[in-house]
Amino acid sequence: MMSESKTRENIVRLSKSLFDRGFSVGSAGNISAAVEDGILMTPTNSCLGFLDPARIGKLDHRGNYVSGDKPSKEIFLHRAFYETRPQAGAVVHLHSTYATALSCLSDTDPEDCIPPLTPYVVMRVGRVRLIPYVRPGDEKAGDLIRDLRGAYAAVLLANHGPVVTGKDIESAVYASEELEETAKLLVMLRGAPVRMLSTSNVQELKAVFGEGLKS
Ligand code: ZN
C-alpha cells in the first residue's frame, strides 16, 4: 500500500485537477483514500481546488476521528463502500453536472443509470445503480449503498450526484471522469436514435478485459 504522505499528496493533486476542469465547484465533492491504519478524507466545506495535504482529515478503521480538519459530513457514503468492497482503495463523490443531470431525469433506469454507450464506461465503471433520494447528511444513503453488498463500483445518488470507487485514488478519479463524460454524451444524445453496445459487445469486453472490469 502507498505511504500515507504520498496518498495525501495524490488526494491534493487529483482533487485540484478535478476542480480545475470543472468536475467540482465551490465546496462540492469529497474524496477519500484508504491508508494502512484508516481512511483519509477531504475536510468538510473544503474546496477541492485548494486542499492542504497536512490538513486532510483522518479516521481509524472504525470511523473514529484521528487527526486533521473535520472530515466531510458525507463520510458515511465512503464508509459504506469500504465496508462492502474490500478491493476499494479510494472513493470519489462529485456533484458533476451531467451525471447529476442524469440523476434528476425521471426516465433514468435505476438499475442501469449509465447504459453501455462506449466500451470505456463498461471497462472503467461497470453498471451503475441509482440510489433513491435522501436528504444530504441523512445516513440512510449509506445503508442503501450497503444493501448493494459491494456489487457495484459506482452509484448515482438521485438528485445529488455520483459516488465512485476504485482500487486506488487514480482509478477512482479516472472512473469518475469516465462516468461524467458518458453522462454528458447521454444527455447530448437524448432524443436521438442511439445505438448502444449490444449484449454480445459487452460480453466480449468482459471476456477480453475481464480482470479490469467492474461489477
Ligand atoms: Zn454530495
Side-chain angles (χ1 to χ4, degrees):
M1 183 177 269
M2 189 180 286
S3 73
E4 181 172 328
S5 62
K6 182 69 185 163
T7 304
R8 286 175 181 271
E9 280 173 27
N10 276 344
I11 290 174
V12 173
R13 180 173 59 85
L14 290 161
S15 295
K16 181 177 185 325
S17 168
L18 287 170
F19 179 80
D20 288 349
R21 290 175 295 135
F23 288 95
S24 160
V25 298
S27 62
N30 37 74
I31 294 181
S32 68
V35 290
E36 202 169 0
D37 56 350
I39 296 169
L40 299 176
M41 177 84 198
T42 54
T44 187
N45 290 324
S46 62
C47 172
L48 293 187
F50 307 101
L51 295 172
D52 176 347
R55 292 179 61 181
I56 289 172
K58 185 172 180 182
L59 299 110
D60 67 18
H61 287 300
R62 292 181 172 176
N64 300 311
Y65 169 82
V66 174
S67 62
D69 286 351
K70 190 167 178 260
S72 166
K73 58 186 173 301
E74 292 183 304
I75 181 70
F76 58 89
L77 299 173
H78 298 241
R79 294 198 66 223
F81 271 110
Y82 291 117
E83 286 170 21
T84 52
R85 283 181 70 89
Q87 68 273 50
V91 179
V92 174
H93 168 52
L94 299 171
H95 300 168
S96 52
T97 308
Y98 287 92
T100 305
L102 279 188
S103 83
C104 298
L105 288 170
S106 60
D107 61 355
T108 291
D109 180 356
E111 304 283 326
D112 192 10
C113 312
I114 312 283
L117 193 58
T118 71
Y120 304 98
V121 75
V122 176
M123 293 189 286
R124 286 200 184 278
V125 185
R127 192 179 274 251
V128 180
R129 275 285 287 262
L130 187 73
I131 299 289
Y133 176 81
V134 295
R135 167 183 61 75
D138 184 341
E139 299 198 10
K140 187 159 178 267
D143 296 335
L144 293 169
I145 292 171
R146 275 186 206 90
D147 288 346
L148 301 175
R149 300 174 189 277
Y152 296 82
V155 297
L156 261 189
L157 307 175
N159 304 75
H160 185 163
V163 190
V164 180
T165 68
K167 67 178 169 35
D168 54 31
I169 179 127
E170 283 179 342
S171 67
V173 167
Y174 295 164
S176 300
E177 294 181 21
E178 191 64 45
L179 190 156
E180 174 63 10
E181 292 305 311
T182 308
K184 187 175 183 177
L185 292 174
L186 289 164
V187 171
M188 284 170 70
L189 292 167
R190 259 174 89 75
V194 172
R195 183 183 60 250
M196 292 288 170
L197 296 187
S198 67
T199 305
S200 66
N201 294 151
V202 172
Q203 281 170 347
E204 181 193 19
L205 290 167
K206 286 183 176 170
V208 175
F209 301 102
E211 288 299 301
L213 280 182
K214 307 283 170 37
S215 56

